[in-house]
Amino acid sequence: MTDVADTAGKIRRMEIRGAGRIARVAAAALRDHAYQVESGDIAGFMAEMEKAAHTLVLTRPTAVSLPNAVHTVMLAMEGTNTPEEAKKAIAARADSFIRSSEQAVGKIGEIGARHIRDGDVVMTHCNSEAALSCLIEARRQGRDFSVFATEVRPRNQGQITIRTLNDAGIETNFIVDSAVRSFMNRIDLVVVGADAVAVNGAVVNKIGTSQIALAADEARTSLIVAAETYKFAPRTIFGELITIEEREPGEVLPPEIIDSLPHVRVRNPAFDVTPPEYIDLIVTEEGAIPPQMAYIIIREYLGWDINEFNRH
Ligand code: RUB
């Protein structure tokens, strides 16, 4: 049984992190919360659920998978007349979202693996389940390739990635973030995940991704993004920008050093935006698309279109 406040705290502190994972735990937290709400009337029940949804969505602002998952689960209440009915509908929707999210990661692995050839040197950044799924599936199919994985300052997610790659028996080089350009000429393919994909195909991912994309473009190295369809951002259709989370300076430097430097402001943006021109392909569970086709995913697969917004 997960508790909404506890789950929200874990997401905020990054004890649970990664866009896909936070979407799934938020769906699970809403499902469990529904059964913890005292059964009154349906309006009271919905108001309680709205509060919980709000708490979860506010934890981290960038990964669109989070509001998309919450929206999907909350929509299940539409048309229900009693809290009991609504609870069942929420639980069924949350479980189906979690299941399809896990399946999506597997499917992306199958599709993405087709782009990794024998002898390739692949670079990845941060720790993305979807990106790693491509590498692990290619390995499972017997492809012989090696990986360069970055450190990912300041939270060192690269250390999680190299453990997974090591466990899969994939030869891996671990480099600091600033070594990316030095090695780019040896790289055949960059594979990264996404926290959000805008309607124009721009990809928001861990800070540093856009520098890697620039270096890849300069070296004529292909870059593919592994992203489930629920990472596409419907509201960008209306020009809404994706908020880039800026985290505590204490993640970058110890507080005593920061305190000793009154004229220095430590900046810690957690994500950046890679323009579509630097992206060769976005691999979703529905197939691989050029970034320019992002609108199709939002409309056809995510099921959000202009009318969705007119209703709210
Ligand atoms: C994680 C990150 C990942 C994406 C995709 O950032 O940028 O590349 O979330 O991951 P953080 P996945 O560590 O700040 O959450 O494919 O696992 O959803």
Side-chain angles (χ1 to χ4, degrees):
M1 204 43 113
T2 48
D3 174 70
V4 166
D6 182 53
T7 302
K10 285 184 173 141
I11 297 174
R12 220 177 288 115
R13 293 189 300 276
M14 290 176 66
E15 287 164 30
I16 301 172
R17 47 146 299 281
R21 232 176 265 118
I22 63 179
R24 287 194 294 274
V25 298
L30 283 175
R31 175 197 61 206
D32 294 351
H33 185 68
Y35 283 98
Q36 287 159 9
V37 175
E38 296 290 328
S39 292
D41 61 0
I42 185 73
F45 175 80
M46 285 186 181
E48 271 304 315
M49 290 307 295
E50 285 295 344
K51 260 196 256 165
H54 196 61
T55 302
L56 289 164
V57 165
L58 287 183
T59 51
R60 292 195 76 188
T62 303
V64 170
S65 51
L66 177 60
N68 278 353
V70 167
H71 178 76
T72 300
V73 174
M74 295 294 283
L75 269 187
M77 290 193 297
E78 269 194 6
T80 59
N81 298 311
T82 64
E84 281 60 43
E85 241 185 87
K87 285 176 192 190
K88 279 194 197 130
I90 284 175
R93 183 70 63 84
D95 287 340
S96 122
F97 174 81
I98 294 166
R99 234 184 354 262
S100 64
S101 159
E102 284 163 352
Q103 284 165 356
V105 173
K107 187 81 192 141
I108 286 171
E110 283 168 32
I111 300 170
R114 295 179 201 150
H115 297 273
I116 300 169
R117 300 159 306 182
D118 260 334
D120 271 356
V121 183
V122 181
M123 181 176 278
T124 191
H125 182 58
C126 198
N127 176 255
S128 157
E129 278 185 321
L132 281 169
S133 176
C134 304
L135 304 181
I136 291 166
E137 177 56 22
R139 178 73 192 154
R140 199 192 63 76
Q141 291 175 8
R143 230 77 46 75
D144 187 18
F145 62 96
S146 62
V147 174
F148 275 71
T150 48
E151 183 179 27
V152 195
R153 279 273 294 151
R155 295 294 296 249
N156 303 311
Q157 288 94 329
Q159 291 184 20
I160 313 170
T161 296
I162 57 174
R163 244 170 246 289
T164 305
L165 291 169
N166 182 69
D167 291 348
I170 298 170
E171 287 306 313
T172 300
N173 303 275
F174 185 59
I175 58 171
V176 296
D177 301 319
S178 43
V180 161
R181 189 158 177 254
S182 294
F183 287 109
M184 191 51 84
N185 283 328
R186 299 197 206 168
I187 306 296
D188 300 292
L189 178 70
V190 177
V191 185
V192 292
D195 282 84
V197 183
V199 67
N200 68 345
V203 167
V204 180
N205 191 49
K206 180 53 54 192
I207 190 79
T209 303
S210 69
Q211 276 181 189
I212 296 176
L214 264 179
D217 186 65
E218 182 197 42
R220 304 284 181 268
T221 300
S222 299
L223 182 143
I224 65 177
V225 175
E228 302 90 305
T229 49
Y230 55 80
K231 293 186 181 157
F232 286 64
R235 290 181 192 281
T236 58
I237 291 177
F238 296 100
E240 190 173 301
L241 297 175
I242 291 159
T243 306
I244 302 292
E245 175 183 12
E246 180 147 1
R247 295 185 61 85
E248 288 297 302
E251 290 185 342
V252 178
L253 279 178
E256 57 279 15
I257 296 188
I258 297 176
D259 291 345
S260 71
L261 302 168
H263 301 295
V264 175
R265 182 174 171 208
V266 176
R267 303 296 306 269
N268 186 20
F271 302 98
D272 64 20
V273 183
T274 300
E277 302 81 64
Y278 298 122
I279 299 162
D280 290 277
L281 221 49
I282 303 178
V283 180
T284 78
E285 71 276 21
E286 299 293 345
I289 56 155
Q292 292 74 15
M293 273 176 64
Y295 176 65
I296 307 287
I297 295 289
I298 294 174
R299 205 190 55 197
E300 302 289 324
Y301 296 106
L302 205 53
W304 284 46
D305 63 18
I306 308 264
N307 297 324
E308 182 85 21
F309 299 96
N310 291 341
R311 284 202 279 133
H312 298 292

